[in-house]
């Protein structure tokens, strides 16, 4: 058993509680202490960490780097996993290394390429990875022209921000007029072209969107682990087709992902997403960070978060080949603790004065302790051969 490893996760998505679980259950049984910071006091990541702090609001990227350097120095952080302000942080990798902190993030040049989807599409085409047809639009006229060209070729048009992650801002264009049909059932990604054009026309500033065809499933997210030497150690695809999820090592998905990881220096944990355009896979997006669903690879017998930390510490993992591919599954919700808060509507750690005793022939059940943690519902994985 080696020495303790101190890992910091800055403001990140709630699913990283599973990332933290896997670090602690590492196969080397190394002691891992996790520090977390966030802007949301109810993030389960804060409750799951050994130490946690609220992050200051309103910092510029450069000011955030100074904050991060101070955190790493004060907390003796060995490995920092930056999500918020990743580009600014990795640009100062040498400063973190000088005080003993390794950054679990790609090279600054790679982060810069994949921050902008249009730049990314041009770059990956140059190395031979196919992408869907796309138009960068900023005005109503450009939007309508792109949609009409796609529709004339028999496609449904969709759009998303040129910069962004996690599907934020993704919408599908419809020619149907706004009606109750769009208000029935759950919220829909479909929006009438007339409303979108009106909103773009009325906006104070130009939009910056990519318009492209709506791609077909399956969607395959390839989780890659690449060493700082540029060599891929692990690449496993997670498939999504409706509610059904699964795993794949098929070369049509894995080979282009490995090519991108090695060609662009996508070091450590990255996620490369593909969908179908006609009968061939095309690149949809590249995330220069660990995916929220990365923990699902545990169903294939691999602990990717821990292997990434080993590489960041300079420890060689060798090629990681899943010993098996897990069965198909579905993603469901489950509770995770959050830290106690002092809102008047919620319980606090201060005991409530007991009511006066009242004689009763039946025993009164014991009250739940006031200090019991609250809970938040977050994504978890449940194996299922068929979706419910």
């Amino acid at each position: 058993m080696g020495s303790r490893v101190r890992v910091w996760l800055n403001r990140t998505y709630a699913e990283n509680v599973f990332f933290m679980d896997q670090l602690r259950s590492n196969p080397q049984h190394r002691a891992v202490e996790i520090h977390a910071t966030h802007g949301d006091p109810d993030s389960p990541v804060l409750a799951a960490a050994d130490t946690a702090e609220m992050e200051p609001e309103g910092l510029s990227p450069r000011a955030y780097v100074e904050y991060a350097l101070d955190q790493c120095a004060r907390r003796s952080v060995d490995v920092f996993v930056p999500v918020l302000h990743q580009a600014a942080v990795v640009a100062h990798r040498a400063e973190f290394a000088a005080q003993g902190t390794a950054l679990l993030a790609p090279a600054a040049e790679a982060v810069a390429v994949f921050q902008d989807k249009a730049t990314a599409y041009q770059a990956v085409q140059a190395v031979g990875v196919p992408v869907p047809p796309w138009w960068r639009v900023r005005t109503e006229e450009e939007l309508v022209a792109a949609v009409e060209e796609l529709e004339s070729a028999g496609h449904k048009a969709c759009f998303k921000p040129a910069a962004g992650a996690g599907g934020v801002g993704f919408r599908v264009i419809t020619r149907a007029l706004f009606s109750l049909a769009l208000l029935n059932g759950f919220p829909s990604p479909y929006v009438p072209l007339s409303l979108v054009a009106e909103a773009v026309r009325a906006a104070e500033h130009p939009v910056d969107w990519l318009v492209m065809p709506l791609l077909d499933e399956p969607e395959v997210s390839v989780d890659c682990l690449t060493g700082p030497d540029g060599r891929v150690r692990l690449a496993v695809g997670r498939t999504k087709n409706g509610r059904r999820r699964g795993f794949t090592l098929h070369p049509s998905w894995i080979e282009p992902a490995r090519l991108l990881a090695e060609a662009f220096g996508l070091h450590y944990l990255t996620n490369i997403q593909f969908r179908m355009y006609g009968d061939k896979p095309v690149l949809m997006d590249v995330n220069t960070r660990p995916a929220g669903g990365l923990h699902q690879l545990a169903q294939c017998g691999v602990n990717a978060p821990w292997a990434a930390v080993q590489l960041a510490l300079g420890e060689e993992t060798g090629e990681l080949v899943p010993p098996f591919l897990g069965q198909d599954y579905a993603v469901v919700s489950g509770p995770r603790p959050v830290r106690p808060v002092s809102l008047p509507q919620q319980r606090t750690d201060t005991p409530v004065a007991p009511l006066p005793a009242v004689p009763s022939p039946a025993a009164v059940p014991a009250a739940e302790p006031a200090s019991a943690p609250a809970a938040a519902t977050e994504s978890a994985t449940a194996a299922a051969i068929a979706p419910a």
Side-chain angles (χ1 to χ4, degrees), residues 11 30 45 75 106 199 237 258 278 290 316 362:
R11 193 178 312 201
R30 290 273 292 276
V45 170
R75 298 286 181 175
R258 294 178 72 101
E316 182 52 60

Side-chain angles (χ1 to χ4, degrees), residues 27-39:
Q28 278 72 44
H29 305 290
R30 290 273 292 276
V32 176
E33 291 187 16
I34 300 174
H35 180 56
T37 57
H38 210 286

Side-chain angles (χ1 to χ4, degrees), residues 96-362:
F96 287 92
Q99 59 185 41
T101 299
L103 299 182
L104 202 154
E109 297 79 9
V111 173
V113 167
F114 293 103
Q115 274 191 307
D116 182 281
K117 292 179 173 60
T119 302
Y121 280 177
Q122 291 172 332
V124 302
Q125 280 183 294
V127 299
V129 174
V131 301
W134 55 275
W135 290 258
R136 190 168 201 159
V137 305
R138 293 184 171 86
T139 66
E140 176 190 1
E141 293 74 21
E142 291 173 342
L143 169 71
V144 173
V147 171
E148 288 178 345
E149 188 162 349
L150 281 168
E151 291 179 339
S152 67
H155 299 294
K156 288 183 180 178
C158 63
F159 65 88
K160 58 185 177 182
V168 175
F170 170 79
R171 298 293 187 273
V172 182
I173 294 289
T174 177
R175 291 283 185 165
L177 297 177
F178 186 77
S179 67
L180 285 177
L182 289 175
L183 298 178
N184 289 332
F186 293 104
S188 167
Y190 284 83
V191 290
L193 177 60
S194 58
L195 295 184
V196 179
E198 180 183 344
V200 172
R201 189 186 321 126
E204 294 183 4
H205 304 286
V207 298
D208 189 8
W209 292 343
L210 293 192
V211 176
M212 61 183 62
L214 180 63
L215 302 174
D216 295 326
E217 290 187 316
E219 179 179 317
V220 178
S221 294
V222 181
D223 293 308
C224 290
L225 173 62
T226 307
D229 58 359
R231 183 165 57 86
V232 174
R233 307 303 201 274
L234 172 72
V236 181
R238 289 182 287 111
T239 65
K240 178 181 178 182
N241 201 337
R243 192 173 179 180
R244 177 177 289 267
R245 311 292 176 92
F247 304 99
T248 182
L249 294 175
H250 195 279
S252 62
W253 314 103
I254 301 302
E255 288 180 2
R258 294 178 72 101
L259 171 61
L260 292 177
E262 294 179 350
F264 290 98
L266 293 171
H267 302 160
Y268 304 109
L269 291 168
T270 54
N271 179 256
I272 303 172
Q273 300 174 347
F274 301 88
R275 274 197 174 221
M276 299 297 294
Y277 178 61
D279 59 355
K280 67 178 183 180
V282 294
L283 180 73
M284 186 170 66
D285 208 354
V286 174
N287 295 308
T288 59
R289 52 171 174 73
L294 178 69
H295 63 280
Q296 295 162 12
L297 294 188
Q299 294 189 86
C300 300
V302 294
N303 186 330
W306 176 247
V309 167
Q310 286 185 284
L311 288 176
L313 293 172
E315 302 170 7
E316 182 52 60
T317 64
E319 188 80 9
L320 299 177
V321 179
F324 53 86
L325 293 182
Q327 68 182 47
D328 286 2
Y329 61 101
V331 173
V332 297
S333 296
R336 293 289 301 205
V338 296
R339 298 198 298 178
V341 295
S342 56
L343 296 178
Q345 300 93 333
Q346 294 181 272
R347 291 179 300 182
T348 69
D349 288 333
T350 304
V352 177
L355 295 174
V358 178
S360 171

Side-chain angles (χ1 to χ4, degrees), residues 9-10 12-21 45 48 81 83 290-292:
L9 281 73
N10 74 341
T12 186
Y13 32 93
E15 287 83 357
N16 261 342
V17 293
F18 303 117
F19 188 102
M20 298 158 76
D21 291 343
V45 170
V81 188
V83 173

